[in-house]
Amino acid sequence: MARYFGDRWPECWTHRPIPEDIKNVVLDANVLLDAALISEGAGWIALSLLASRGISFYTTERAKDEAFERLADFRRNLSPIDLILTNFLDANVKVLASGKDFASISQHDAHLAALADELAAVVLTEDLAFVYDANIAKIHARTVREILLSDLSFAQSSDAKFLFFFGTSFGADGHIFVKAIADEKVFAENREWNLFAIRGLGRLAFDSGTASFCFFDDQDLLLTKVDFDLRAGESFAAVLEYATGHRTVYTLKVSHGDDESTSVASVERTALKRPPASEVRWLNRYDKPEGWLGSIQVGTFGPFRLNRKTWRACRSLVGVAPSTLTADLSFSAAILCEVRGDMMRRPSWDNVRELTYFGSGGFYPGSRRSERDDKWFGDD
């Protein structure tokens, strides 16, 4: 049974490889900005790997205009740096007229799908709602992370650890997402099997004795749990989200990839006083060696919750995960970029990540900031 449109690799659970006969890639505005503004960032590396395969890059007039509009917004009250994006497009990308509407694709993204259909191309985008809709419409769409994983030499290098576990920081809101497969031995004894632990927040574990995913707070007290029919050898996705106002609301969601339903539980507790530590201990807990038994596909975290469409794409499509590799990095990069005459300076990925980490409180004040009467750590 095909797990997604064009599935030819049933043994691959980490990403959706690009079909071998694809020679063209259509770039969305978010990828254009990431690749153009960040020196050797994830987007730039992905395009370099594709170019080495002889693949040509295209975009639409509408996507180009959107990229310049976002860039102007990023640089509000700062000198323009349009030259960086202009030179990138001139050197690497052919811009074509925006296509017509495309059935079952939103008007905002139809131009990309129409051009991909015309060129027999893959759309490269970080818009996960569009990735999901494109799959339904039988248009190939991939994320930057999937492109990087598709190149075995890069994916197996020491520089590629971020492809499997990556995040920027936490804020007043946050998420921790994981996609994994349980080994049959998980059910052989009644115990907890840990997926992640975070100081200042808590840990998530599957309790094989009660057949439930359990979230424990930082003092190891059970906060909430969801009963779940975990099945050996089948992929599942889980996300723990929180939002801080007068109090902090925690929400746990778990779903099988091929199941339209999601098991959900929420609980409200005393408000967090500060963001959790931005260091996640994956597949284990801090004080005891009670790890996970099975395989892990991806783990991400960030200072935002997943909206309904993002969660749908992440839980149901092989290889798709929250876009933490690129989320807000273009904004940070635009602040760090500089143009003087015909001289240009672009920041490194490490510098961009550092600014994004320290600026997350400003970028993400939280969905419930208006409820916080007192100054909360991270607020201006």
Side-chain angles (χ1 to χ4, degrees):
M1 179 179 177
R3 300 163 298 167
Y4 56 88
F5 168 60
D7 185 4
R8 305 176 190 173
W9 305 270
E11 74 287 349
C12 183
W13 286 93
T14 56
H15 63 288
R16 298 168 299 154
I18 289 181
E20 297 86 347
D21 55 347
I22 292 292
K23 299 300 180 184
N24 302 313
V25 167
V26 175
L27 305 178
D28 198 355
N30 44 55
V31 176
L32 291 174
L33 287 171
D34 191 271
L37 300 181
I38 304 175
S39 177
E40 298 189 16
W44 183 87
I45 295 172
L47 297 193
S48 298
L49 294 174
L50 290 172
S52 70
R53 294 171 50 180
I55 287 177
S56 300
F57 303 118
Y58 297 84
T59 195
T60 67
E61 287 284 356
R62 182 168 174 176
K64 182 196 75 172
D65 292 345
E66 181 181 339
F68 277 107
E69 289 169 5
R70 289 189 190 178
L71 188 57
D73 186 53
F74 292 165
R75 293 286 294 188
R76 190 179 305 169
N77 300 323
L78 297 173
S79 59
I81 56 170
D82 290 9
L83 182 62
I84 294 177
L85 182 54
T86 297
N87 285 359
F88 172 80
L89 289 168
D90 290 345
N92 302 286
V93 184
K94 186 172 183 179
V95 181
L96 300 179
S98 298
K100 54 187 177 180
D101 291 344
F102 198 91
S104 73
I105 300 293
S106 70
Q107 187 175 4
H108 179 267
D109 299 313
H111 59 108
L112 298 168
L115 182 57
D117 185 54
E118 178 184 340
L119 298 175
V122 168
V123 180
L124 183 55
T125 179
E126 293 291 272
D127 182 344
L128 302 188
F130 172 54
V131 169
Y132 180 89
D133 290 342
N135 182 69
I136 299 298
K138 293 182 168 45
I139 293 292
H140 292 292
R142 300 292 188 270
T143 62
V144 167
R145 176 179 169 275
E146 291 181 281
I147 299 302
L148 298 177
L149 282 169
S150 294
D151 189 282
L152 289 180
S153 61
F154 180 81
Q156 294 175 355
S157 69
S158 59
D159 296 328
K161 293 179 182 178
F162 68 89
L163 296 179
F164 301 97
F165 301 108
F166 186 79
T168 50
S169 61
F170 291 108
D173 292 3
H175 85 270
I176 311 94
F177 171 88
V178 63
K179 192 180 286 186
I181 296 175
D183 188 274
E184 60 183 8
K185 294 180 181 178
V186 164
F187 309 97
E189 53 182 306
N190 295 334
R191 51 161 285 188
E192 295 170 5
W193 303 89
N194 289 276
L195 285 162
F196 59 74
I198 303 162
R199 297 195 187 281
L201 187 66
R203 66 181 176 93
L204 178 66
F206 178 74
D207 187 332
S208 54
T210 62
S212 60
F213 279 93
C214 304
F215 177 64
F216 302 85
D217 68 11
D218 202 35
Q219 303 303 312
D220 218 35
L221 298 176
L222 178 65
L223 281 187
T224 190
K225 69 175 185 176
V226 294
D227 295 334
F228 191 74
D229 181 25
L230 186 64
R231 300 187 287 267
E234 294 189 24
S235 178
F236 70 90
V239 64
L240 187 283
E241 301 173 315
Y242 69 88
T244 304
H246 287 309
R247 292 162 67 82
T248 296
V249 175
Y250 302 90
T251 302
L252 175 60
K253 303 177 184 177
V254 189
S255 177
H256 283 294
D258 59 352
D259 193 340
E260 286 299 318
S261 64
T262 295
S263 300
V264 183
S266 293
V267 65
E268 188 175 286
R269 289 291 185 268
T270 301
L272 291 172
K273 302 302 182 184
R274 58 184 54 84
S278 297
E279 295 181 5
V280 179
R281 187 177 179 92
W282 296 103
L283 308 182
N284 218 320
R285 56 186 293 182
Y286 282 101
D287 53 345
K288 297 179 182 179
E290 296 178 349
W292 179 252
L293 194 58
S295 62
I296 184 77
Q297 297 164 46
V298 62
T300 73
F301 65 92
F304 53 88
R305 294 182 295 172
L306 309 184
N307 63 38
R308 179 180 60 84
K309 291 184 177 180
T310 297
W311 166 246
R312 180 182 63 181
C314 291
R315 68 170 176 76
S316 62
L317 288 177
V318 172
V320 176
S323 300
T324 53
L325 279 183
T326 56
D328 298 305
L329 298 189
S330 294
F331 176 79
S332 297
I335 294 174
L336 295 172
C337 284
E338 186 177 9
V339 172
R340 292 184 180 181
D342 59 354
M343 302 292 290
M344 300 176 294
R345 181 176 66 84
R346 298 184 303 148
S348 69
W349 197 47
D350 286 340
N351 289 339
V352 172
R353 289 173 58 192
E354 185 174 1
L355 178 59
T356 303
Y357 170 79
F358 285 111
S360 62
F363 296 158
Y364 291 97
S367 58
R368 303 172 63 195
R369 182 174 184 176
S370 62
E371 299 178 24
R372 299 198 295 268
D373 297 327
D374 299 324
K375 185 175 181 181
W376 185 81
F377 186 88
D379 285 352
D380 294 330

